[in-house]
Amino acid sequence: SRWFDEMQRLGLRPTVETWSALINARAKRGKTTRDQRQIVEAERLLESMLKEEGIEPNAITFNSLIDSCAQLGDVERANRWFDEMQ
């Protein structure tokens, strides 16, 4: 993402809050536009956060995904993220 590129250019390291904000923005965009692809992108960001940066998501990160999935009617996906959170 260009946000992370800019942070790196400035010598800053993304935190869980930075990642959560970006994931939340994607998830909300998916919710408001009814675009499932945005949720998939938010999930991809979460995977990058874990695998590439080794940063553990917090409740805010998970709540963004759970809320957006539920609002889109994808209860199965929302439950999967809820289970992952525990």
Side-chain angles (χ1 to χ4, degrees):
S1 139
R2 71 171 199 240
W3 300 104
F4 293 136
D5 292 342
E6 183 65 15
M7 287 182 75
Q8 285 180 338
R9 189 184 72 73
L10 295 171
L12 302 171
R13 182 177 164 90
T15 64
V16 67
E17 292 82 8
T18 311
W19 281 97
S20 293
L22 188 57
I23 289 167
N24 187 42
R26 284 288 185 176
K28 279 187 177 182
R29 184 170 183 207
K31 183 171 70 171
T32 58
T33 62
R34 311 289 300 164
D35 185 353
Q36 191 76 20
R37 293 173 298 180
Q38 296 298 321
I39 303 299
V40 171
E41 177 62 17
E43 291 173 331
R44 188 193 66 73
L45 288 168
L46 178 62
E47 289 176 18
S48 293
M49 178 177 132
L50 285 164
K51 292 179 181 172
E52 294 172 21
E53 299 294 326
I55 298 174
E56 289 293 321
N58 61 21
I60 294 169
T61 315
F62 283 114
N63 284 337
S64 297
L65 287 170
I66 292 167
D67 177 58
S68 294
C69 291
Q71 290 292 324
L72 287 173
D74 194 342
V75 177
E76 183 179 319
R77 183 178 253 154
N79 283 331
R80 196 168 57 237
W81 283 114
F82 181 77
D83 291 342
E84 185 73 27
M85 182 172 73
Q86 296 181 8

